[in-house]
Amino acid sequence: HSFIPKGLLRLYHSFLVKTERKLMIKSDIIISQTEALKKEVVKLYSVNQKKVIVGYNGIPEIKINLKKESILKKHQLPNDKFIIYGGDLSDNNGLPYIIKLIETQPNYSFIIAGKGKYTKTLEEYSKKFKNLFFFGVLQKSEYLELLSVSDTLLILRKSDLTNNVYLPLKILDALLLNKKVITTNLSIM
């Protein structure tokens, strides 16, 4: 809940959009991360679409120095097939659906990493459900180790403006490691 009155927020937002529009119109080139974001920029700021170029995300080569057995031992995991999710533990990222999968699919093992609204729930569930391995917040290198021993990345994001214009790097990480990806129908995909 914000302590700023809604009228003041609308005024501030209007000021930002007008200022951004002036900057965009004066710019020679605007770089967008995705085609969907390019369309939003052209629509919201009334700029010529020829000024907006798309520069997709790139990721560095992933080097995992440990063998699968060593990673499983390090993280105290059984030799199993894993579905992994890492990130913000929120409704926006489909956590209620992931939790339902954990409850109803005991034949699948889940690795979950991150923090957010569902942290406490997942901490409790990791004691209750043998198919859930919850790690909380991890360093990127640790997450990539766990991704490397997983079979599938699960990423269930709600369709909204933010999620429709950005491609999560974790999808690129998974593809680089030859993992399957289960995701929702994002307009950028």
Side-chain angles (χ1 to χ4, degrees):
H1 300 325
S2 176
F3 296 105
I4 302 171
K6 286 184 181 182
L8 188 57
L9 280 175
R10 280 193 293 273
L11 182 63
Y12 179 67
H13 180 263
S14 175
F15 166 76
L16 283 179
V17 170
K18 286 177 185 176
T19 303
E20 289 171 341
R21 180 177 288 124
K22 286 178 186 176
L23 290 171
M24 300 244 184
I25 289 170
K26 289 182 179 186
S27 298
D28 296 324
I29 294 173
I30 301 164
I31 300 172
S32 167
Q33 186 181 9
T34 63
E35 283 292 334
L37 182 56
K38 175 182 177 175
K39 289 176 186 173
E40 284 299 315
V41 166
V42 169
K43 179 179 165 188
L44 183 62
Y45 300 107
S46 304
V47 297
N48 184 334
Q49 68 177 355
K50 291 180 182 179
K51 285 175 63 167
V52 185
I53 60 172
V54 177
Y56 293 101
N57 275 336
I59 57 171
E61 184 179 342
I62 297 172
K63 294 184 183 191
I64 307 295
N65 296 322
L66 298 173
K67 297 205 179 300
K68 181 176 181 176
E69 297 77 26
S70 298
I71 294 170
L72 294 174
K73 185 176 180 180
K74 176 182 174 182
H75 296 286
Q76 300 176 346
L77 293 168
N79 190 3
D80 208 347
K81 292 186 179 244
F82 294 103
I83 297 172
I84 188 170
Y85 169 79
D88 182 35
L89 306 178
S90 67
D91 294 323
N92 200 39
N93 286 314
L95 265 292
Y97 301 104
I98 294 172
I99 289 170
K100 190 74 162 169
L101 285 171
I102 293 165
E103 293 171 343
T104 61
Q105 303 298 319
N107 295 329
Y108 292 92
S109 292
F110 295 86
I111 294 173
I112 309 290
K115 71 175 184 174
K117 176 180 176 182
Y118 291 94
T119 299
K120 292 267 190 252
T121 302
L122 289 164
E123 286 170 347
E124 292 169 10
Y125 272 46
S126 67
K127 295 172 189 158
K128 182 178 175 183
F129 292 94
K130 292 180 181 178
N131 64 331
L132 171 61
F133 301 90
F134 179 63
F135 288 91
V137 177
L138 294 172
Q139 295 294 320
K140 174 85 174 194
S141 60
E142 293 176 302
Y143 170 76
L144 290 174
E145 285 178 358
L146 292 172
L147 179 60
S148 76
V149 298
S150 298
D151 299 280
T152 306
L153 171 68
L154 185 61
I155 183 165
L156 307 176
R157 297 175 66 160
K158 285 186 176 180
S159 182
D160 64 17
L161 178 61
T162 301
N163 288 338
N164 289 345
V165 296
Y166 293 105
L167 175 66
L169 290 178
K170 62 186 108 190
I171 293 176
L172 300 178
D173 290 336
L175 295 174
L176 191 61
L177 289 170
N178 294 314
K179 303 302 173 185
K180 297 176 215 111
V181 177
I182 298 173
T183 188
T184 50
N185 186 18
L186 299 176
S187 66
I188 59 169
M189 300 249 160

